[in-house]
Amino acid sequence: MQIYFAPLQGITDGVFRKIHADHFPGVAKYFMPFISPTQNYNLTNKELREIDPGNLHVPAVPQIIASHPELFLWAANQLADLGYDEVNLNAGCPSGTVTAKGKGAGMLLSMTKLELFLDEVYGKCPIRVSIKTRLGWTSKDEYPRLVELLNQYPVSELIVHGRTRAQFYEGEADPGTVIDSLAMCRMPVVYNGDLFTPQMCKAFMDSNPQFHGVMVGRGLVANPALVRTVLSGEALTRAEMQQYHAAVYEGYMQVFPKSAVLGRMREIGKHLALCFEDAGKIVKKMRKASSLAAYDAAVCELFEHDIASDPGFRVSL
Ligand SMILES: Cc1cc2nc3c(=O)[nH]c(=O)nc-3n(C[C@H](O)[C@H](O)[C@H](O)COP(=O)(O)O)c2cc1C
């Protein structure tokens, strides 16, 4: 079974992905945070940099968020010209500003509109199209109907996050609905949601071998060695965490101004800190650090702690 790195806007950019793959190989595919083609058929400079194959270095799948098939197809053709052979459709982003435009999880509001979109996209897209979605808009009862619709298309992989849009990231993900519907799915299915630690991930994979793979987001940002631990049992060490943290920091120093480095490192640091014993207070210090000096001080303190058993993401400390 494959393990994929979930796309996390603001975290898993090209710099991060390369350093992660250099230090902790084993992720089968990195899904890239979405690009959002504008009505004028444009991508931002940042998006163009991200999709430039020269900046890739790792197996990465670009993701498009769009409500109009012609915009999706325009961006997919750009990606095909750049040499990509797969593109992922974001049909799961729960953000209100996104769904108000009928994008992301907003696509789940009308099966009729979704069908028209998919007819066009699967009729004309020159490369494989996988889909990342949720159980439904308000209720998991919507999921079987969604699968019935998706079964009509050559969906290369279906990645399902085990929550509805109404749940955003609240409460617990529900793999049960995805597992119960597996038999009716014609396409390979990948499960995503709340597989936060190596043990959680391994337990899920061992009990559900019929999945094509799992996709892990927050758990892998927190514990960069999660895939290795799942596959070989070799646990994360404090020394490799220190080296990895230093490399990510240095990587961002090379491409961002210091103020942006602080923002990035606070976000990544507060995830990494969750892997340490009794790190609650330090996570708060990292989150509030108003300068790189304050961040550095919190990091020094953090590395005096031991790695927790089964390190990974925690909802709260
Ligand atoms: C900060 C943040 C940014 C995200 N950005 C994206 C994105 O660009 N595209 C996408 O499909 N999902 C995005 N997601 C959702 C994640 O890919 C993933 O589905 C979610 O974190 C649940 O997986 P996990 O429980 O393993 O973290 C984002 C989630 C977070 C928390």
Side-chain angles (χ1 to χ4, degrees):
M1 200 187 295
Q2 313 265 10
I3 308 180
Y4 298 155
F5 209 136
L8 293 129
Q9 197 76 246
I11 302 179
T12 62
D13 61 15
V15 173
F16 177 94
R17 292 192 303 266
K18 178 175 185 322
I19 295 167
H20 181 268
D22 283 350
H23 285 245
F24 298 99
V27 170
K29 289 186 205 172
Y30 291 79
F31 283 73
M32 297 158 74
F34 64 76
I35 56 171
S36 179
T38 65
Q39 300 292 349
N40 307 328
Y41 297 91
N42 267 328
L43 294 173
T44 63
N45 286 338
K46 184 175 150 233
E47 288 173 332
L48 289 169
R49 261 197 317 276
E50 279 290 309
I51 59 172
D52 180 344
N55 297 333
L56 271 187
H57 315 291
V58 298
V61 179
Q63 185 186 63
I64 301 174
I65 198 162
S67 57
H68 297 291
E70 50 291 4
L71 283 178
F72 182 96
L73 286 166
W74 173 78
N77 274 290
Q78 308 287 310
L79 293 165
D81 289 347
L82 289 169
Y84 290 96
D85 58 8
E86 176 186 348
V87 61
N88 183 258
L89 167 68
N90 181 321
C93 177
S95 151
T97 48
V98 164
T99 58
K101 295 177 193 143
K103 302 196 271 190
M107 300 191 111
L108 304 176
L109 269 168
S110 161
M111 290 298 111
T112 316
K113 276 194 195 159
L114 181 58
E115 186 170 2
L116 291 173
F117 181 97
L118 297 174
D119 278 349
E120 278 289 297
V121 162
Y122 280 98
K124 297 184 182 156
C125 191
I127 50 179
R128 292 199 307 277
V129 182
S130 56
I131 299 180
K132 181 166 180 280
T133 190
R134 289 180 169 242
L135 301 177
W137 177 257
T138 44
S139 161
K140 62 184 185 180
D141 298 343
E142 297 162 36
Y143 185 64
R145 184 144 174 249
L146 175 62
V147 170
E148 253 172 50
L149 174 64
L150 299 181
N151 271 342
Q152 296 172 34
Y153 303 96
V155 176
S156 68
E157 265 182 343
L158 177 63
I159 302 156
V160 190
H161 176 71
R163 287 184 177 85
T164 61
R165 187 272 174 174
Q167 292 174 288
F168 283 79
Y169 294 104
E170 302 293 316
E172 280 179 19
D174 166 27
T177 303
V178 189
I179 295 166
D180 291 348
S181 307
L182 261 182
M184 68 181 280
C185 292
R186 296 216 178 111
M187 69 294 280
V189 181
V190 172
Y191 177 74
N192 167 249
D194 296 5
L195 301 176
F196 289 149
T197 70
Q199 272 176 32
M200 290 167 95
C201 207
K202 186 161 185 344
F204 183 89
M205 289 165 72
D206 288 349
S207 1
N208 299 289
Q210 63 285 38
F211 278 92
H212 185 65
V214 294
M215 173 183 268
V216 182
R218 292 164 291 178
L220 252 169
V221 180
N223 178 352
L226 181 142
V227 174
R228 183 188 73 201
T229 309
V230 170
L231 298 180
S232 76
E234 192 185 340
L236 173 72
T237 68
R238 184 166 53 182
E240 62 187 358
M241 191 67 137
Q242 258 170 317
Q243 284 162 13
Y244 171 69
H245 176 270
V248 175
Y249 201 147
E250 172 60 27
Y252 282 129
M253 282 298 229
Q254 281 174 18
V255 295
F256 286 151
K258 281 188 177 168
S259 55
V261 175
L262 177 62
R264 272 305 155 113
M265 290 314 299
R266 270 198 308 229
E267 191 59 37
I268 293 167
K270 81 181 187 212
H271 280 85
L272 299 180
L274 296 170
C275 289
F276 289 80
E277 298 274 13
D278 301 322
K281 277 190 192 149
I282 300 170
V283 173
K284 279 194 200 106
K285 280 188 191 169
M286 281 183 159
R287 224 184 261 151
K288 289 186 181 160
S290 55
S291 65
L292 281 177
Y295 176 81
D296 294 343
V299 169
C300 273
E301 220 180 297
L302 178 69
F303 285 125
E304 285 164 16
H305 290 239
D306 289 326
I307 300 276
S309 69
D310 200 26
F313 186 78
R314 309 269 183 272
V315 174
S316 58
L317 280 175

